[in-house]
């Protein structure tokens, strides 16, 4: 069933965009964090996407049994990995700060909140687009079911 | 199925589902670096599917290829969300029209079965 695969594709897009939104809010929340378990200031995280097939376990077994030619190459999306920004931290002169070095400079995360806000808006809009796709596909499935009435 | 019209409608809805799946895939990959918009030529595929059905042959899956003429973004991705939104609603409306027509055909068979009494 092609249409149910389209539902899974939309869901994969929603999941990927949510992971991205989580990483972006983490960046915003930690924009001033100078201590991390790894030591040093917080480093900006970014999510990388890659396309992936989203055959559900049931449909892949069913398709194999039916020997159908359903593979049209259409795929969903998944998170390929979360990369950490390697750029050097921003040094601010705050001699009274407990994390200041010998010269009185404190290493702050190199984060531009405007950049993360714009990315966050992009993630939210893409999430909405995936929701619209799912609801359109859901209507089509419902129309097919209505043929039985 | 029942007659030539219903099998044509069936092929039409099959192709619309396949296309909707591609649209969903394009939307899901709107932020994937290097991804290219995928689609197929609906007119050609539909004409082919109908002629195959007329010869009682099972039509194969549509030939999917990257769409040309879309603006490429810096990350090598060329998904245009406006195009996908248009196709999404267009496919859903076409599917709705086809399913209503098909239901009309089925209704006629039901009327015949019930000898014209009731619905």
């Amino acid at each position: 069933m092609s249409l149910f695969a389209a539902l899974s594709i939309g869901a994969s897009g929603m999941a990927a965009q949510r992971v991205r939104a989580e990483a972006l809010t983490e960046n915003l929340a930690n924009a001033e964090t100078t201590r991390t378990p790894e030591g040093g200031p917080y480093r900006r995280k970014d999510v990388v996407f890659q396309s992936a097939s989203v055959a559900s376990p049931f449909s892949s077994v069913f398709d194999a049994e039916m020997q159908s030619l359903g593979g049209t190459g259409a795929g969903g999306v998944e998170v390929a990995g979360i990369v950490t920004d390697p750029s050097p931290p921003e040094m601010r002169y705050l001699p009274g700060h407990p994390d200041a070095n010998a010269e009185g400079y404190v290493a702050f995360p190199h984060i531009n909140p405007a950049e993360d806000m714009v990315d966050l808006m992009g993630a939210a809009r893409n999430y909405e687009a995936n929701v619209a796709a799912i609801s359109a596909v859901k209507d089509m499935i419902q129309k097919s079911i209505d043929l039985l009435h | 199925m029942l007659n030539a019209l219903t099998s044509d409608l069936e092929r039409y809805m099959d192709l619309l589902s396949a296309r909707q799946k591609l649209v969903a895939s394009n939307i899901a990959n709107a932020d994937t670096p290097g991804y290219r918009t995928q689609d197929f030529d609906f007119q050609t595929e539909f004409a082919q599917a109908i002629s195959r059905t007329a010869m009682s042959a099972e039509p194969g899956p549509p030939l999917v290829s990257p769409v040309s003429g879309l603006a490429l973004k810096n990350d090598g991705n060329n998904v245009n969300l406006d195009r996908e939104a248009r196709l999404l609603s267009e496919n859903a409306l076409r599917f709705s029209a086809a399913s209503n027509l098909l239901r009309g055909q089925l209704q006629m068979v039901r009327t015949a079965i019930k000898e014209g009494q009731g619905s």
Side-chain angles (χ1 to χ4, degrees):
Chain A
M1 270 305 273
S2 194
L3 278 176
F4 286 103
L7 280 184
S8 315
I9 290 169
S12 78
M14 286 167 69
Q17 295 295 346
R18 197 169 54 236
V19 171
R20 184 175 170 214
E22 278 169 18
L24 290 168
T25 44
E26 191 183 324
N27 289 341
L28 284 170
N30 285 291
E32 305 277 321
T33 304
T34 55
R35 290 177 196 177
T36 53
E38 304 87 49
Y42 176 82
R43 290 195 179 269
R44 185 175 187 276
K45 290 192 178 75
D46 212 346
V47 176
V48 182
F49 291 158
Q50 70 182 19
S51 37
S53 61
V54 289
S56 67
F58 177 78
S59 74
S60 58
V61 172
F62 187 69
D63 284 352
E65 291 291 322
M66 301 292 284
Q67 293 175 340
S68 78
L69 300 157
T72 49
V77 64
E78 67 180 13
V79 175
I82 296 179
V83 290
T84 316
D85 185 3
S87 63
E90 197 178 289
M91 303 305 281
R92 288 188 210 159
Y93 185 64
L94 290 169
H97 197 284
D99 292 327
N101 61 13
E103 286 90 44
Y105 283 92
V106 184
F108 275 94
H110 187 80
I111 286 176
N112 180 1
E115 192 185 331
D116 282 317
M117 281 310 291
V118 171
D119 278 359
L120 194 57
M121 279 158 63
R125 291 292 166 269
N126 272 308
Y127 188 89
E128 278 177 34
N130 280 298
V131 172
I134 286 186
S135 92
V137 171
K138 209 180 70 185
D139 282 353
M140 284 169 74
I141 294 174
Q142 191 59 52
K143 286 271 187 278
S144 307
I145 294 169
D146 286 347
L147 286 173
L148 302 171
H149 293 172
Chain B
M1 274 173 91
L2 304 170
N3 55 35
L5 179 59
T6 50
S7 9
D8 286 356
L9 281 172
E10 191 190 340
R11 296 284 159 254
Y12 186 60
M13 288 164 83
D14 272 351
L15 274 183
L16 283 173
S17 314
R19 198 176 202 197
Q20 198 72 312
K21 189 177 160 190
L22 287 176
V23 171
S25 177
N26 289 337
I27 291 177
N29 282 290
D31 277 328
T32 308
Y35 180 86
R36 301 295 165 94
T37 304
Q38 305 282 319
D39 203 356
F40 58 80
D41 185 352
F42 197 91
Q43 302 280 339
T44 316
E45 293 294 341
F46 186 49
Q48 207 169 29
I50 286 181
S51 63
R52 289 256 191 98
T53 314
M55 293 185 296
S56 316
E58 192 64 24
L63 181 70
V64 177
S65 57
V67 179
S68 60
L70 291 173
L72 203 63
K73 283 174 258 180
N74 284 338
D75 59 356
N77 180 308
N78 73 348
V79 175
N80 180 347
L81 271 184
D82 297 324
R83 175 190 182 275
E84 304 308 326
R86 178 185 69 81
L87 280 176
L88 189 70
S89 37
E90 186 184 316
N91 284 341
L93 287 172
R94 284 179 190 276
F95 193 93
S96 171
S99 82
N100 279 331
L101 286 171
L102 190 54
R103 195 163 55 174
Q105 293 288 313
L106 295 172
Q107 201 68 47
M108 285 204 288
V109 178
R110 187 169 297 161
T111 310
I113 291 171
K114 296 197 172 180
E115 300 172 353
Q117 293 160 8
S119 56

